[in-house]
Amino acid sequence: MSNHTTSRRKVLAGAAAATGMLGLAGCAGGNGGDGNGGDGNGESGGNGNGNGSSDDGSGNGGGATQEFTFATSVEGSTAFRIGSTFGEYLRQENLTDLFEINAVVSPGATGGYRMMDQGEAAFSTPSTYGLEVSPDQGPFADNPLNDFNAVRQIRGNFSVQPFLIVQADSGIESWDDLEGQTVSFGSAGAGTRVPSETILDLEIGLENITPEYVGYSDQPAALRGGRVDAIFGYVNNSAIAPGWMQELDATVDWRHIPYSDEVRSEFEQQLPYTSTLEVDGSNFFESFTDTITPYNLTYVVSSTTGLDDEVAYEFAKLSYEHGEALLESDNSMGFYPDPDLFLETIHPDVPVHKGAYDYYVESELWGDYDLTAPPEA
C-alpha cells in the first residue's frame, strides 16, 4: 500500500465533517424541510411543521419519501445503467417508503464525483483509484475537491476492464503504429481517462498521438467514420459487454492492441488500485475472439457525512438483500448480491458511511473484510 494510502486512514479517522444533506432532488408525496431556517435545517422560511424546504437538501422531509440524486456517468454508461436499474427496481417493488433514487447522467464518473462534492448530488460512483488520489492528485491536481474528509463509501458498484481497439484493416498492429494517430479515451470526465492516458503514455508517449475525448456510446460511430483511429473500449465485471461495445462488435471489424508486459508491470506500480489481467474475447465478441489484456478498475457507490444514516443503512440493506433479483433484472448488477465483490473491492482506507457500517455490522459482514469504520461510529 502506498504511503499516500497509509496516511489517508489517519487523516480521515480524525475528520467527521458535519455537512448538510447533498443532492436532495425533491420529495415524493411530502413538503420537505422542517422550516427551521435559523438553525441550518432549512433556508426557505418554512412554517416549522414540515412545510419548509432547504436549498442544500438538509430538511427532514416531515416523514415524506425523499428523492436523492445519484450522479452516475455519461448516457449509455454502465454507471448510469446500474443507477437507473436500482432506482427503477425500488419503485417497481414499492420499496420507496424512505427514499427514491434519481439516477442522472454526468460528464463521467469523475464528473459525477465532483457533482457530489459540490452539493449537486447525494450519491456518486468514483473509482477506488479516484478515491486514492483525492483530493488533489491525478484528475484533481488542477482543481482539488472541496471536502474529501466528508466522503464516505457505501458499497462496491461495478468494475470495468478497458483495452485499446483499432479497425482490423487500419494497418495499426502495434503501439508504435499509433504514432501520429488520433486516439479516443472516452468522455473527458470518465474515471478511466487518467488510467488510459497513463498506460498509453507508458507505451508510446502521449505527445506522439492526438487525444480525443468522445463519449463511450459515440465511439463506435467515431471509429467507423474515421474521426478517430483508435479507441479505448471495455467490458464490465469481466463478464459482460455494454451495449455500445455490442454495437461496435456488430458494425466494425476490429482488433485489440495488447499492453506490453513491461508496461503492465509499470502501470500497476504507478496507479494504485488498478491491475491488469487477461480475458477471453470469445466470451463477449464475434469480431475479435482472441485473448484481451485489459486493465481493471473498480467503482464505489459513495456519499458524504451529510447523508442521513437511515438512508445509507437502507441503501446498503436493499442493494444487498435484493441483489439476486437486481442481477436477474440486469446482468450489469453482478456486484450487488456478492459481498466478496461489493465489500472486498472498496477502498480499505476511506471510511464507510455510518449507516452502511451499521448494516454491515448487524448482518455480520463487516468482520470479513479490511475496511475503515467511520469516525462517527
Side-chain angles (χ1 to χ4, degrees), residues 77-79 81-83 125 155-163 192 233-242 245 277-280 283-285 294-300 323 326-327 330-338 340-342 345:
S77 66
T78 301
R81 178 174 170 178
I82 288 175
T125 183
R155 58 164 296 133
N157 202 22
F158 65 96
S159 66
V160 297
Q161 293 76 43
F163 52 95
T192 54
Y234 63 77
V235 294
N236 293 124
N237 302 337
S238 296
I240 60 171
M245 278 296 300
L277 63 157
E278 294 184 353
V279 296
D280 185 350
N283 291 336
F284 310 95
F285 307 116
Y295 68 84
N296 184 66
L297 198 63
T298 57
Y299 290 79
V300 180
L326 285 163
L327 180 56
D330 191 314
N331 61 4
S332 65
M333 310 292 287
F335 270 42
Y336 275 60
D338 188 350
D340 284 344
L341 292 176
F342 72 75
T345 58

Side-chain angles (χ1 to χ4, degrees), residues 201-227:
D201 192 43
L202 290 170
E203 289 285 2
I204 60 168
L206 277 171
E207 70 278 7
N208 293 314
I209 59 98
T210 300
E212 283 280 350
Y213 300 94
V214 181
Y216 279 117
S217 60
D218 295 324
Q219 287 196 142
L223 188 62
R224 285 195 306 268
R227 175 182 170 186

Side-chain angles (χ1 to χ4, degrees), residues 78-132:
T78 301
F80 180 66
R81 178 174 170 178
I82 288 175
S84 299
T85 296
F86 184 49
E88 184 60 28
Y89 178 86
L90 295 181
R91 286 185 284 273
Q92 289 180 349
E93 299 299 318
N94 296 316
L95 297 171
T96 56
D97 290 344
L98 180 63
F99 67 91
E100 290 192 28
I101 296 295
N102 177 32
V104 299
V105 296
S106 73
T110 299
Y113 184 31
R114 284 195 180 278
M115 287 175 63
M116 185 185 79
D117 177 61
Q118 294 165 0
E120 299 171 10
F123 300 96
S124 67
T125 183
S127 68
T128 45
Y129 164 73
L131 291 171
E132 169 67 10

Side-chain angles (χ1 to χ4, degrees), residues 129 138-139 175 183-188 190-207 209 211-213 232 259 267 270-271 295:
Y129 164 73
W175 287 93
V183 180
S184 173
F185 294 93
S187 63
T192 54
R193 174 181 173 175
V194 169
S196 294
E197 289 178 338
T198 299
I199 206 162
L200 186 142
D201 192 43
L202 290 170
E203 289 285 2
I204 60 168
L206 277 171
E207 70 278 7
I209 59 98
E212 283 280 350
Y213 300 94
F232 276 87
Y259 308 130
F267 175 78
Q270 284 197 22
L271 276 76
Y295 68 84

Side-chain angles (χ1 to χ4, degrees), residues 27-39:
C27 292
N31 294 320
D34 64 4
N36 295 324
D39 65 5

Side-chain angles (χ1 to χ4, degrees), residues 265-311:
S265 176
E266 180 66 19
F267 175 78
E268 292 176 357
Q269 292 179 31
Q270 284 197 22
L271 276 76
Y273 299 100
T274 62
S275 60
T276 58
L277 63 157
E278 294 184 353
V279 296
D280 185 350
S282 65
N283 291 336
F284 310 95
F285 307 116
E286 294 183 5
S287 183
F288 187 84
T289 57
D290 292 338
T291 299
I292 296 172
T293 58
Y295 68 84
N296 184 66
L297 198 63
T298 57
Y299 290 79
V300 180
V301 177
S302 298
S303 190
T304 70
T305 53
L307 182 70
D308 186 82
D309 290 351
E310 186 178 8
V311 173

